[in-house]
Amino acid sequence: MQNDTVRSAVALRNSTLAQLGAEIMRPTYDRSRTFPGLVHIGVGAFNRSHLAVYLDDLLGRGEVVRWGEFGVGLLPWDREIHAGLAEQDYLYSLMALETGEETLRVIGSLAGHVYAPEATETVLERMVSDECAIVSLTVTEGGYFIEDATGRVQLEHEDLRHDLEHPAAPKTWLGYVAEAAARRMKLGRAPFTLLSCDNVHGNGAIARKALLAFGEARSGALAKWIEANITFPNSMVDRITPRTTDENRAMIAERFGMMDHVPVVAESFRQWVLEDAFVAGRPAFERVGAQMTGDVAPYEKMKMRLLNGGHSTLGYLGDLLGHSFISEAAADPLLRRLLIAFMAEVKPSVPPLPGIDLDEYTATVVKRFTNTAIRDQVARICCEGCAKISKFIVPTLGDLLKTGRTPRVLPLVIAGWLHYQRGRDENGRAMQMADAQAALLKEFVDSGCADAGLALKVRPIFGELATAYPQLAGMVQGNLDELRTHGVRAAITKVLAEV
Ligand code: CS2
C-alpha cells in the first residue's frame, strides 16, 4: 500500500462515519441505542458477510434496536480480528464484488466483541444475561466434534475433556454454551435459542446432538434442561466469502479512501433459509430477504451437493492443475465441462423444491464461480478436505449408489482429492494445504498415495460406503491410477467421454 494513500485514507470509527466518501453506504441508525440480543461465536469473514449483514439491514429499517450482535472469538486468529474491531468501534466494511462493479458498505450491527481466552467471564455473563435471546455459531464444518459418517460425538477430544474438567474456564463453544445453560438452569432463567450458521447438513440437529452429549457428560440434569428448553433451528446459509487479503485492504484505501483493518469481501448473492424454531424471540429475518420455512433439509441438500460439492470438484482438480483462484478454474474449459457434468450427475440426488428450477440454480452456481472479481482462493476451498469430502461428496455418492446408479464424476472427485494429498501439483509446486483431520489419511499418505482402498476404509470419512458398495473401490482406484499415470487432464477427459 502506498504510504500517501494510507495517510490520506480516513480511519474507520464511529466519529469518522460522516467524513467517508458519499459512495460508501453506512449505518443510518443510532448505534448507541442497539443492544445485543444475539451472542455470536466465531466472527470470521463469513459471519460478517452474512448474519451480521442481515442484522444490519434490519437495524437499518429503524424498527428495532434489540438485535445487535455481541461477537466472541475463541481461536488464536480471532485475537487479530478482535484488535481490529475494537479499534474501529466494532465497525467494519463489506466490499461486494461483481465483475466490473464494487460497492462498499460499513456494517454497524456488531455491538461489541471479545477475545474469549481473555474475557471468559464476560462471555458467560453475556450468554446468561436477560438480553441474550439467541446464541449463534459459525465454527466451521469441522467444528462440531461429530464424525459425519458415524454420527459419533468425540467426547474424548482433549479440548472437550478440558472443558468437562474446568466448566468455568471453557475453551470450546460446547464448553461455553453448556456452562451458560447450567447457570441459566440454576438461576431459573429462560433459555436461549442455539442457532448454527455453519454449512453443515442439519446444522441445528448436529449442534443439538453435540450439546446434549456434552451436557450429559456434565450432568444428567443439565442434559434434561437443555433438551426441554433450548431450541436448535436448522438453517441453510450461502454467500461466497473469500479470505480477506492485504490487496483488499489496499483497494479499499485507494478506491474508497477508507482505512479498515478488518474488512470482508463477498459476492453480492446471498441466501438464508431458516427453520422457524426460536424459543426466546427472533429478529424478523424475513423482512430482510431470509426465508423462514418448516423444513430446511431440501435446501441444504441442494446447496451442499451442488454448490459446495462443485467447489470441491474445481478445487482439488484445479489446484493440481496449478489454478490459484476458483474463477480461473471455472474458466478452464475442461474443468468447466467437468463441473457441469458433476452437477448433472448430482441432480437426481437432490429433492425437488417448490419454486426452484434446478437448471437455473446450477446455471447461477456456474456464473457465481466464474465471478473474476472476488478472487476466491482455491486454497480456501481445498482446506479441511476430510470434513468437506465427507459432507459434500460422500452422502451424494451413497444416495446415487443406493438407487442403482453408476456415478462417473464423483469417484474422480474423490480420486482427485486423494491425488492432491501428495502435496504437489502437476508442475511440482507445493500446494498450500490445511486439514485439522489430516491424520485420518496417514496410512494412505505414508504408503505413497496410491492405494485408494486405504483411504476408503477410513470410517469417519466414508462410513460403510466401501463395504456396502464393493464396486466403489475399483471406480476410485481406476481414476487414481489414471491421474497418476496420465495426468489430471487425461483423467478428466476420460471421464467426460463416458458421461
Ligand atoms: C466452500 C464454501 O469452503 C468451501 O468448500 O464451498 O465456503 C462456500 O463458499 C460457501 O458455503 C458459500 O456459501
Side-chain angles (χ1 to χ4, degrees):
M1 212 184 293
Q2 292 292 310
N3 276 340
D4 289 351
T5 313
V6 175
R7 254 198 302 277
S8 60
V10 176
L12 178 59
R13 305 271 187 281
N14 268 335
S15 59
T16 59
L17 281 176
Q19 295 164 34
L20 299 178
E23 72 285 13
I24 304 177
M25 289 169 280
R26 69 205 77 177
T28 49
Y29 51 93
D30 178 359
R31 291 185 74 225
S32 66
R33 295 184 57 226
T34 308
F35 69 90
L38 211 135
V39 175
H40 186 85
I41 302 181
V43 186
F46 184 71
N47 170 249
R48 281 177 291 142
S49 78
H50 201 259
L51 169 63
V53 180
Y54 281 90
L55 294 175
D56 190 62
D57 279 346
L58 202 60
L59 294 165
R61 291 169 63 96
E63 294 156 13
V64 284
V65 294
R66 182 182 173 199
W67 297 115
E69 170 179 328
F70 186 85
V72 176
L74 290 182
L75 302 172
W77 49 85
D78 291 324
R79 189 195 280 270
E80 207 175 309
I81 294 179
H82 173 68
L85 286 170
E87 198 180 319
Q88 298 178 179
D89 302 321
Y90 310 105
L91 291 166
Y92 67 92
S93 61
L94 166 74
M95 184 157 61
L97 296 171
E98 289 302 320
T99 315
E101 197 186 319
E102 285 84 38
T103 57
L104 191 70
R105 166 175 171 188
V106 174
I107 306 294
S109 53
L110 272 181
H113 185 278
V114 289
Y115 178 55
E118 289 165 358
T120 305
E121 219 20 64
T122 310
V123 176
L124 289 167
E125 275 166 22
R126 282 278 167 184
M127 288 184 177
V128 179
S129 74
D130 286 329
E131 258 178 14
C132 170
I134 299 173
V135 173
S136 49
L137 301 173
T138 310
V139 295
T140 80
E141 286 93 346
Y144 284 79
F145 301 99
I146 291 195
E147 280 176 13
D148 299 305
T150 60
R152 208 175 60 79
V153 182
Q154 297 159 321
L155 286 174
E156 73 286 358
H157 191 288
E158 61 173 313
D159 289 348
L160 295 188
R161 285 213 325 260
H162 169 276
D163 287 3
L164 287 170
E165 279 158 28
H166 307 93
K171 284 184 178 174
T172 69
W173 71 266
L174 275 171
Y176 273 101
V177 176
E179 176 63 9
R183 293 188 187 184
R184 279 184 180 253
M185 175 176 82
K186 200 163 154 216
L187 295 166
R189 292 215 178 140
F192 46 65
T193 298
L194 188 68
L195 173 64
S196 163
C197 301
D198 276 297
N199 196 39
V200 174
H201 175 56
N203 56 8
I206 295 278
R208 178 175 187 274
K209 183 168 188 179
L211 186 62
L212 279 179
F214 185 81
E216 185 69 48
R218 281 194 49 168
S219 85
L222 178 59
K224 272 207 190 74
W225 188 88
I226 292 170
E227 190 165 24
N229 290 283
I230 296 187
T231 53
F232 303 79
N234 289 302
S235 72
M236 180 272 251
V237 293
D238 194 5
R239 186 169 210 176
I240 295 176
T241 308
R243 292 177 181 144
T244 305
T245 62
D246 286 341
E247 255 171 46
N248 298 140
R249 280 181 268 270
M251 182 169 164
I252 291 171
E254 278 157 30
R255 274 277 255 296
F256 294 95
M258 189 179 88
M259 237 349 259
D260 182 352
H261 297 298
V262 282
V264 286
V265 296
E267 60 177 344
S268 46
F269 178 98
R270 71 177 193 208
Q271 193 179 12
W272 198 10
V273 185
L274 300 93
E275 197 181 357
D276 203 349
F278 290 75
V279 73
R282 65 166 174 84
F285 292 125
E286 67 277 23
R287 294 209 189 133
V288 286
Q291 187 181 340
M292 307 306 297
T293 176
D295 187 10
V296 177
Y299 293 93
E300 284 175 341
K301 269 194 182 163
M302 175 179 78
K303 192 247 168 169
M304 270 177 232
R305 292 183 174 200
L306 293 165
L307 184 138
N308 297 119
H311 253 161
S312 299
T313 302
L314 288 184
Y316 298 113
L317 293 158
D319 215 348
L320 287 165
L321 286 171
H323 294 300
S324 301
F325 299 104
I326 287 296
S327 54
E328 278 171 20
D332 178 326
L334 193 66
L335 286 177
R336 193 184 179 88
R337 280 178 56 211
L338 183 71
L339 172 67
I340 291 167
F342 168 84
M343 297 209 262
E345 187 164 290
V346 171
K347 260 193 228 163
S349 82
V350 175
L353 266 167
I356 294 198
D357 176 343
L358 269 194
D359 291 332
E360 218 173 283
Y361 182 83
T362 49
T364 308
V365 169
V366 176
K367 194 161 160 244
R368 291 169 65 195
F369 287 179
T370 318
N371 179 355
T372 50
I374 62 169
R375 294 169 77 73
D376 193 12
Q377 302 88 358
V378 163
R380 179 186 83 85
I381 297 304
C382 293
C383 73
E384 305 310 329
C386 290
K388 287 180 181 174
I389 290 288
S390 67
K391 287 187 171 69
F392 304 157
I393 304 292
V394 171
T396 317
L397 197 54
D399 280 0
L400 294 176
L401 290 166
K402 203 176 355 176
T403 51
R405 293 174 196 268
T406 306
R408 303 262 181 228
V409 184
L410 273 71
L412 170 62
V413 176
I414 291 183
W417 173 60
L418 294 179
H419 193 48
Y420 160 94
Q421 302 305 323
R422 297 189 321 172
R424 297 207 167 261
D425 76 3
E426 294 217 305
N427 299 315
R429 170 194 62 116
M431 296 180 291
Q432 227 186 84
M433 298 168 77
D435 192 339
Q437 298 183 64
L440 290 173
L441 291 176
K442 191 170 181 327
E443 202 183 343
F444 168 76
V445 172
D446 286 354
S447 73
C449 296
D451 182 353
L454 293 178
L456 290 170
K457 72 171 192 193
V458 176
R459 288 182 68 233
I461 304 174
F462 293 101
E464 302 303 328
L465 211 58
T467 330
Y469 303 100
Q471 70 271 37
L472 182 63
M475 292 174 179
V476 177
Q477 188 66 54
N479 281 292
L480 186 57
D481 293 344
E482 191 67 25
L483 287 163
R484 291 169 62 87
T485 41
H486 297 115
V488 177
R489 289 199 184 272
I492 298 176
T493 307
K494 186 157 183 244
V495 165
L496 287 176
E498 288 168 9
V499 293

